[in-house]
Amino acid sequence: MERNRNLNRGWLFHLGDEPGADYMGWDDRAWHKVTLPHDWSVEHPFDRRHSSGTGYLPGGTAWYRKHFELEEETAGKRVRVTFGGVYKNASVWINSNYLGKRPYGYSTFTYDISAFVRPGENVLAVRVEHEETADSRWFTGSGIYRDVTLTVTDPCSFETDGVFISTEKLENGAATLRIRYEAADGDVFPFAVFAPDGSIADAGAGTEPEGELTLTVDDPLLWSPDDPVLYSLDCRVQKDGAITDTLRIPFGIRTIRFDGDTGFYLNDENIKLKGVCVHHDAGALGAAVPKEVWARRLEKLKSAGCNAIRTAHNPPDPHLLELCDEMGFLVMDEAFDEWEGPKNKWWQGHNVYPPKRFGYAADFPEWHKTDLEAMVKRDRNHPSVILWSIGNEIDYPNDPYVTPLFDEVLGNNDANKPTAERRYDPKKPDASRLAVVARELCGIVHALDRTRPVTSALSFPELSNRTGYADALDVVGYNYKEQFYEEDHRTYPGRVIYGSENGKGAREWAFVRDNDYICGQFLWTGVDFLGECPGWPRRISQAGILDLAGYEKPNYWYRKAMWDEGGEPFARLSACPAAIRWSSPDAERRAWVKWKPFPRRPRRDGREEEPEIPEDPEHPVMRVGCVTNAKEAELFLNGVSLGKKNLAAEGDGYRVTWEVPYEDGELLVIAGEARDRLVTPGAAQRLTLAPVPLYEVGSDFYQIEISLLGGEGMPAAEDESVRIQLVGDGELMGIENGSPDDLTPYASNTRRTFMGRAIAYIRARDEVTVYAESESGMRETVKIG
């Protein structure tokens, strides 16, 4: 009998409250059929009546029902159902029996339904309530947006997340592994370690339902970002000589160590954390992100030299951690964005007052221990996880915690903050409370896992150093506070410091590169994300080095030049108006991967505004940037050299710029053995569809890259709308182009390209033919499945 059964297919969905739908016999024949993971928010249009912080998409209340059959032999078995994530306020019933609720939308939770299921038909009912969308500072999604799994075992079986394997030590060419386990009954508990080649490396057994043992692996293959080798642990429960439960847990053999003077060590090798923060959505797919989408993103981040991921600011999808194990990323696994005090939630545009203050703070007092324990127990077997984070910017000044130590203070993201909001107000919660809560949370984590340190991303370390909050942590993260690294290293001997959230410039990286005691950094962010947008009609944050469709942005190559210095030679060009500084927030949004004069831009009132260029608009001066890992770069315009520049002397070591009067033709850069070119784009001549290779054989989820090309295979001058149609047993899940202000509903089968590109997400259960047609009549087809 199969132990774990995926329950994602065949759910019935109803948007709106339906009192009585918990009843097993409820008439749900008219309900909509859906496949999980499912996010109903992205099935509806963008609307400025909804919160800007969560991307102008709706919430609401909805019901899900799942009819499923159990065989006769399941009678007397132990049956559990696990929800990977439901946003939010999930209430669950089985066969009309109420099981409980889970407010936090990011927690994985399990119910034992053995007493209520029966051979034959069974019905799960789930009510999801997400009425207030100004409950987060980023897009959350709505619904059962992660997997649902049914586990059927003998009553003598392991508890949920009841086995924990860790590397105790590496010594004399051998690895000592410690196994802690918890089972419901049984008399013998055999464990065996299987090497990657399938051989048994060691085996042993426990004799009590709860216990621990050690195993030894000689000449182990060590897990690392460069060589993410995975072993597996075979775990069994025996009762009266019979095997009653079996499971396999993939794991890696590795050690970690943090040192306040010399940084981070993996397997006793000193390495820098080259990390990015990621939120959990994928644009058109909302929060229901298939593993294949994460794999494509991670492959690109890996190519840029990235070796670490911070799960901002909530427990991640388990598939993301599986990929980090398999592909070799180090993970900072984060639990919360707020504790007892609610943060400002922007709903009319970023930093537009007044805010709302809904969110997890209302549930934290009752649920924080349960939610934190669930995250640690679920994720502690992943070799990729090296840090447990108990919070993000909980100490953000005056949001809501205050202190008499600072009469007036601004945070790192406080544009337009009214004077009254900057001042000390004794009627607000006192920041000294944070040290008390931090100590409690650290204790909860340490009780379950002492092999990894506990951290938190501090927004206001100059305060948290004085309240005891920083001292409560094993490792201290600083958000955008590089200026305190040196001083705090001297003042707090032995403190482990790293950048938990950082800007993308060369200066920020130099603090890490040039100081042994700084463990690394995490850029804000790896990928653009829905929400946290400045205001209508902008629907996303463009903080990523990849856009929302997963394509590389200019800062991607900039970071690659810093992080991949010893890699293959490369160079990348981009251009923007000379009036735009590279360091400005607008630089990424308005940097072109085409060589063309900067066009007039539509204003919010629909008219056009003049380009921000003081020169002749027919011959504007453009700023051309080259990022490269070479020492020198020479730029040519239509074959004429515009000069050779030394990256260190005339740039920041990774990027140099030229100001170039525009003329049609070709820009070419030669940087050592690398070269890159931009050409004046022509009219669209060809529409192409390119399926992304599947990460896992047998997957039914496809990503089709859409390109609108001009001459020489370069992106076309103008974007066009592209319509997608399917023939066969398939479903168009959405089309994403990464454009920040494209408000086309995600439910549409038509979307405009952006910079000549878009990506279509398709679920194909059998062979499917994908037809694409542009508004100018170009057509293309591709078969998948």
Side-chain angles (χ1 to χ4, degrees), residues 163-170 175-179 191-197 199-203 214-218 220-224 227-235 247-255 321-322 324-326 378-385 452:
V163 178
F164 175 30
I165 182 168
S166 60
T167 305
E168 188 80 0
K169 61 182 177 179
L170 293 172
T176 302
L177 308 180
R178 181 171 299 278
I179 300 167
F191 295 90
V193 173
F194 282 79
D197 64 4
S199 62
I200 296 178
D202 196 14
T214 59
L215 300 178
T216 301
V217 176
D218 294 322
L221 301 172
L222 302 184
W223 184 96
S224 72
D227 193 13
V229 179
L230 292 176
Y231 287 71
S232 62
L233 181 67
D234 184 89
C235 316
L247 71 150
R248 275 282 182 112
I249 299 173
F251 73 97
I253 297 175
R254 59 101 179 103
T255 61
L321 296 182
E322 291 168 9
C324 289
D325 292 345
E326 295 160 7
R378 186 196 71 174
D379 297 345
R380 60 188 175 176
N381 287 318
H382 289 282
S384 56
V385 176
R452 299 172 175 91

Side-chain angles (χ1 to χ4, degrees), residues 58-92:
T61 296
W63 283 81
Y64 294 83
R65 286 168 59 88
K66 167 69 176 176
H67 298 251
F68 64 98
E69 299 283 328
L70 288 178
E71 305 86 347
E72 289 292 334
E73 54 265 37
T74 58
K77 296 292 185 181
R78 186 182 189 188
V79 183
R80 287 165 280 181
V81 62
T82 298
F83 293 85
V86 184
Y87 203 91
K88 64 179 189 175
N89 293 316
S91 299
V92 184

Side-chain angles (χ1 to χ4, degrees), residues 92-107:
V92 184
W93 293 261
I94 180 71
N95 296 341
S96 302
N97 296 279
Y98 180 60
L99 299 174
K101 66 178 181 179
R102 196 57 168 254
Y104 196 31
Y106 301 108
S107 281

Side-chain angles (χ1 to χ4, degrees), residues 224-521:
S224 72
D226 292 332
D227 193 13
V229 179
L230 292 176
Y231 287 71
S232 62
L233 181 67
D234 184 89
C235 316
R236 303 192 177 201
V237 177
Q238 288 183 199
K239 179 73 172 178
D240 299 328
I243 297 173
T244 57
D245 192 20
T246 302
L247 71 150
R248 275 282 182 112
I249 299 173
F251 73 97
I253 297 175
R254 59 101 179 103
T255 61
I256 60 172
R257 176 166 59 89
F258 290 84
D259 185 278
D261 293 319
T262 55
F264 172 69
Y265 292 81
L266 179 70
N267 303 325
D268 285 328
E269 178 186 354
N270 185 227
I271 66 173
K272 295 290 189 182
L273 300 176
K274 302 173 180 177
V276 298
C277 306
V278 294
H279 274 310
H280 72 153
D281 76 275
L285 298 168
V289 185
K291 189 174 183 179
E292 297 284 350
V293 174
W294 279 117
R296 175 172 173 263
R297 291 172 163 187
L298 292 179
E299 285 171 356
K300 295 192 176 194
L301 292 171
K302 189 89 169 178
S303 181
C306 176
N307 66 8
I309 299 293
R310 176 188 175 201
T311 67
H313 304 292
N314 50 261
D317 187 337
H319 290 312
L320 175 58
L321 296 182
E322 291 168 9
L323 285 166
C324 289
D325 292 345
E326 295 160 7
M327 299 174 71
F329 286 87
L330 303 161
V331 175
M332 174 178 168
D333 200 345
E334 193 152 79
F336 308 121
D337 187 52
E338 60 186 29
W339 296 348
E340 296 166 332
K343 291 182 178 179
N344 291 338
K345 310 299 189 309
W346 307 114
W347 56 286
Q348 304 174 93
H350 196 62
N351 284 346
V352 177
Y353 283 79
K356 294 184 179 181
R357 293 188 174 87
F358 300 98
Y360 182 66
D363 300 304
F364 181 89
E366 180 180 353
W367 285 95
H368 67 275
K369 185 174 187 292
T370 300
D371 289 326
L372 185 56
E373 287 180 338
M375 182 187 84
V376 173
K377 292 185 72 174
R378 186 196 71 174
D379 297 345
R380 60 188 175 176
N381 287 318
H382 289 282
S384 56
V385 176
I386 61 168
L387 284 166
W388 301 117
S389 172
I390 55 174
N392 170 64
E393 295 190 341
I394 308 299
D395 60 344
Y396 197 90
N398 295 1
D399 190 16
Y401 294 96
V402 300
T403 174
L405 298 172
F406 292 84
D407 180 60
E408 183 174 345
V409 66
L410 278 175
N412 59 50
N413 194 15
D414 272 347
N416 308 318
K417 194 167 190 174
T419 301
E421 295 291 325
R422 307 176 188 181
R423 304 295 300 270
Y424 169 64
D425 180 354
K427 296 181 177 63
K428 286 187 173 182
D430 193 285
S432 62
R433 171 66 180 166
L434 299 180
V436 176
V437 178
R439 286 191 290 269
E440 180 196 357
L441 297 178
C442 288
I444 292 170
V445 175
H446 289 151
L448 296 171
D449 179 16
R450 287 195 169 273
T451 71
R452 299 172 175 91
V454 180
T455 187
S456 187
L458 303 185
S459 171
F460 199 5
E462 56 268 48
L463 169 63
S464 294
N465 287 336
R466 300 167 68 177
T467 62
Y469 180 11
D471 290 337
L473 305 170
D474 303 320
V475 173
V476 186
Y478 286 47
N479 281 14
Y480 309 103
K481 291 297 176 77
E482 291 87 355
Q483 69 269 29
F484 294 115
Y485 287 173
E486 184 178 356
E487 177 185 347
D488 285 5
H489 176 59
R490 289 195 309 266
T491 305
Y492 306 99
R495 173 177 290 183
V496 178
I497 300 174
Y498 70 101
S500 42
E501 197 166 305
N502 303 87
K504 306 178 188 72
R507 170 184 170 275
E508 287 85 351
W509 174 238
F511 279 103
V512 179
R513 181 196 63 204
D514 300 339
N515 292 290
D516 291 343
Y517 61 87
I518 300 299
C519 300
Q521 66 175 191

